[in-house]
Amino acid sequence: MITNKLLALTLSLFTAGSAATGAAGTATNKTQVPKFPTQQIVQKQTTNPQNSGQTINSSSNSSNTSTVTKPQTETPKTEVPVKEQPKVEAPVTQQPKVEAPKVEPPVKEEPKAELPKTEAPKVETPATTPSTTVPSGVPANPNNKSFVYLDTVEKEILTYVNQERAKAGLNPLTWEENMRPIARYKSNNMLQYNYFEHNTPSLNNASPMDLATKYFKYNTNSYGENIFYSQGYPEGSTTAKYLVDQWMNSPGHRANILNANWTKMSAGVVFSSQGNYAYATQHFSTN
């Protein structure tokens, strides 16, 4: 009798446990247990980010925790305006097989040397309206920047050049007005097209000799060129003495100024207040 009661109690407890287990199973089926990935994706900022880019690294042994990357703000950059130093390009002296200064061979005849001159250096009065005529077939320079020609500076360059030649015991050069339009065209061409070199890209990369003889129909046996460029300096600083001093401090340009074969010289100096650009071209010839 006692055994039967214990058996009944045991069955009752088992049944109750089974019912509880069944209820728990039902609850489990209705409630979605969140599943966690076995691997964690962590985003780390690279040491030197490019364009705020990030590298994603996978960690196979990471825990189920998340990493929060704080926003990063780059320090604003303020650039200081750059004031460019004056530049002086390597001079061009166009005679056979000589580079920087450049030299081109005479056209169909040997260079002619004029008789030595003994007169003192001349200081000529600048022309009231110097020529800026461009021959037919030569494209006019664009007006990308406003500009003025520094007439007085152009003619005063000759004065300081002849002073240097006198110190070296050389004959003075004479002013060649027919070369001034060529020098002015070259200076303004560099200003408008924003470059600094002896060849002229807008004219099929014409050399100084070709610019003078082919495009401007100037008759000469040999031709030389010095050029100058500066930015950021006021117009008043572009003086003839400053230009000649810059050229004399450069061995190649100095050699052009003190070349005993030259007999004539001209110059073209252009200035633009848009950025305080100054370009100067100095031409030499033997005709």
Side-chain angles (χ1 to χ4, degrees):
M1 189 66 178
I2 293 174
T3 303
N4 290 335
K5 288 182 179 181
L6 289 174
L7 178 60
L9 180 60
T10 302
L11 290 173
S12 175
L13 291 174
F14 180 79
T15 304
S18 299
T21 302
T26 303
T28 301
N29 291 334
K30 289 183 179 181
T31 303
Q32 297 294 324
V33 178
K35 296 181 180 180
F36 295 93
T38 57
Q39 292 183 343
Q40 181 185 20
I41 302 300
V42 181
Q43 292 187 329
K44 296 182 179 179
Q45 186 83 20
T46 59
T47 302
N48 295 310
Q50 298 295 328
N51 300 322
S52 301
Q54 292 181 328
T55 300
I56 299 177
N57 297 322
S58 297
S59 175
S60 59
N61 297 318
S62 60
S63 62
N64 293 331
T65 59
S66 60
T67 298
V68 179
T69 302
K70 294 183 179 180
Q72 297 184 356
T73 303
E74 294 185 3
T75 304
K77 296 181 181 178
T78 303
E79 295 187 1
V80 180
V82 178
K83 189 172 185 181
E84 296 188 13
Q85 295 298 321
K87 299 179 182 179
V88 180
E89 179 72 6
V92 172
T93 302
Q94 295 183 313
Q95 293 175 349
K97 298 180 181 179
V98 177
E99 299 267 332
K102 297 180 180 179
V103 178
E104 291 196 2
V107 180
K108 295 184 180 179
E109 58 185 68
E110 294 297 324
K112 297 178 182 178
E114 294 187 359
L115 295 175
K117 297 179 180 180
T118 56
E119 70 264 23
K122 296 179 181 179
V123 179
E124 300 182 25
T125 303
T128 305
T129 54
S131 174
T132 55
T133 303
V134 177
S136 60
V138 178
N141 285 321
N143 290 316
N144 297 325
K145 296 184 181 72
S146 62
F147 68 94
V148 293
Y149 291 114
L150 306 185
D151 299 354
T152 304
V153 174
E154 293 171 349
K155 293 299 291 288
E156 285 182 347
I157 289 174
L158 177 66
T159 301
Y160 291 104
V161 164
N162 280 337
Q163 287 179 1
E164 297 296 337
R165 289 175 68 87
K167 293 177 187 177
L170 299 172
N171 292 325
L173 303 178
T174 58
W175 179 261
E176 174 62 284
E177 185 64 30
N178 290 332
M179 284 199 301
R180 176 138 65 164
I182 310 171
R184 282 188 163 188
Y185 183 91
K186 177 61 179 181
S187 291
N188 195 20
N189 190 268
M190 290 190 291
L191 169 69
Q192 301 301 335
Y193 286 106
N194 192 31
Y195 72 97
F196 184 63
E197 61 182 79
H198 290 292
N199 290 351
T200 305
S202 63
L203 296 179
N204 298 317
N205 230 29
S207 66
M209 184 73 152
D210 285 342
L211 178 64
T213 60
K214 180 179 178 180
Y215 289 95
F216 278 80
K217 311 303 179 186
Y218 183 73
N219 183 25
T220 184
N221 296 313
S222 65
Y223 208 76
E225 179 181 88
N226 285 344
I227 57 178
F228 167 91
Y229 156 80
S230 68
Q231 179 187 359
Y233 295 88
E235 179 180 337
S237 67
T238 308
T239 65
K241 187 177 188 314
Y242 177 70
L243 293 173
V244 174
D245 285 346
Q246 292 294 310
W247 283 324
M248 287 296 292
N249 288 332
S250 169
H253 299 83
R254 178 187 178 93
N256 247 353
I257 291 174
L258 301 181
N259 188 329
N261 293 326
W262 303 133
T263 58
K264 298 181 182 294
M265 192 213 83
S266 192
V269 182
V270 65
F271 182 86
S272 174
S273 59
Q274 295 175 315
N276 284 356
Y277 289 94
Y279 286 87
T281 303
Q282 181 182 36
H283 281 168
F284 306 92
S285 70
T286 59
N287 79 331

